Amino acid sequence: MSIARELGLEATDPLAIIALRWAGWSELQPALKAVGVPAELQRWLQRSHTHPKSQTAHQEVDSVLRALAILAATDGEDDPEAALLLAWVMLPAACAVSHRCRNRAPQLIDQIVAAQLWIAVRSFPWRVRQGSVAGNIAGDLQKAVSEDLDILSPGGDGRSVPADPDDLSLLMPETSPDGPSPEAELLAVLDEAIEDGVIDWGERALLLSITSAAANEPEGRKSTTGVAGLLTAPVEEAVAGEYRSSRRAVRRRASRCVEALARSRGGRA
């Protein structure tokens, strides 16, 4: 199970939606015209990371996300394809929520996160909500998922991550009193790699899918090769199914990402 699969992204190519709908959407929401090459939307949205001190970049990114939110909302243009595209853009935040909460409902968490993400993008209060669209959706998502989990497991601590309404980083990893968790360290490394242009959002999502699938593997079943030993045959099969790809393609792309990360981290030493 995966968030992308639960959202129906296995059967729908977001880039195909962009190719067919972006021009028409841009007439309804001129802010979308700021994206010079719509097919590279995810990379364009990274401007808020690659230019963290640029207020213009932050404003343009948020304006594009707000335009998508208006198109997606049931009280806006009520466009399901725009909602699916916005959910796709928010997948890194959704994956972070899923990873944080997985131990509370490992068999259901992706279904819960996908359902609440869909609700969040379809009901975003664009008329009254100020601040970062990404930060607000991420915060709403974390809160809604935590509330669902509290109903399923009343003994949980119910913690949620508050969203900074001006935050464009989608969702920041939590840290524990004893220092960052392995999950938080991984997210920090991946976010840093995105900021440096080492990987893109799609590659980040792929690596998180691999670590998620590997976390569900039985103890002792670990590969001796490939992506830090995480790519066992069942993991490759699960991720290939999620991305509607071949195991070989998953292994090749993941290996390239890890090699790029290794080179980047080595250059910082």
Side-chain angles (χ1 to χ4, degrees):
M1 193 179 299
S2 74
I3 299 169
R5 181 180 304 167
E6 291 295 318
L7 286 168
L9 285 167
E10 279 191 343
T12 306
D13 182 359
L15 294 181
I17 294 176
I18 290 174
L20 289 173
R21 304 295 309 280
W22 197 267
W25 285 341
S26 296
E27 295 305 313
L28 294 172
Q29 295 293 325
L32 297 180
K33 295 179 181 179
V35 184
V37 183
E40 297 181 2
L41 174 63
Q42 285 185 317
R43 187 175 294 278
W44 186 89
L45 291 173
Q46 294 171 26
R47 298 176 72 218
S48 62
H49 293 277
T50 56
H51 304 287
K53 295 183 179 180
S54 172
Q55 188 64 26
T56 300
H58 277 249
Q59 289 174 348
E60 288 185 345
V61 167
D62 194 62
S63 293
V64 167
L65 292 178
R66 186 166 294 274
L68 286 175
I70 294 171
L71 291 166
T74 55
D75 65 344
E77 296 296 332
D78 193 15
D79 191 322
E81 288 192 321
L84 191 61
L85 189 63
L86 184 55
W88 175 63
V89 167
M90 292 298 301
L91 273 180
C95 288
V97 172
S98 176
H99 279 263
R100 267 194 200 104
C101 301
R102 185 166 298 277
N103 64 330
R104 295 185 62 187
Q107 302 303 317
L108 295 174
I109 188 60
D110 286 343
Q111 183 178 349
I112 292 171
V113 172
Q116 290 298 346
L117 177 58
W118 185 252
I119 291 171
V121 299
R122 291 289 272 163
S123 62
F124 184 78
W126 57 274
R127 298 180 191 274
V128 296
R129 185 72 67 83
Q130 302 299 313
S132 163
V133 172
N136 277 304
I137 290 177
D140 290 347
L141 176 62
Q142 177 70 67
K143 181 179 179 181
V145 170
S146 294
E147 289 173 350
D148 278 355
L149 292 173
D150 286 342
I151 294 172
L152 289 173
S153 54
D157 60 18
R159 290 185 303 167
S160 63
V161 179
D164 178 350
D166 295 317
D167 182 20
L168 279 173
S169 63
L170 300 184
L171 198 64
M172 297 300 293
E174 291 178 333
T175 56
S176 70
D178 298 324
S181 65
E183 173 191 313
E185 290 181 347
L186 171 62
L187 290 172
V189 168
L190 295 182
D191 287 345
E192 186 177 86
I194 284 178
E195 291 178 11
D196 293 342
V198 177
I199 61 174
D200 59 29
W201 283 110
E203 291 164 337
R204 179 187 191 274
L206 173 67
L207 293 175
L208 287 175
S209 293
I210 290 171
T211 57
S212 176
N216 293 326
E217 282 287 274
E219 288 293 331
R221 185 187 291 177
K222 186 175 182 181
S223 172
T224 57
T225 62
V227 192
L230 297 178
L231 272 181
T232 62
V235 168
E236 287 181 0
E237 185 174 353
V239 176
E242 177 180 344
Y243 282 84
R244 302 182 68 194
S245 181
S246 68
R247 288 174 49 187
R248 181 179 180 182
V250 167
R251 183 166 58 250
R252 186 188 309 118
R253 188 180 183 196
S255 295
R256 284 201 301 265
C257 291
V258 171
E259 289 172 4
L261 286 169
R263 288 195 300 271
S264 174
R265 301 300 290 181
R268 292 176 180 272

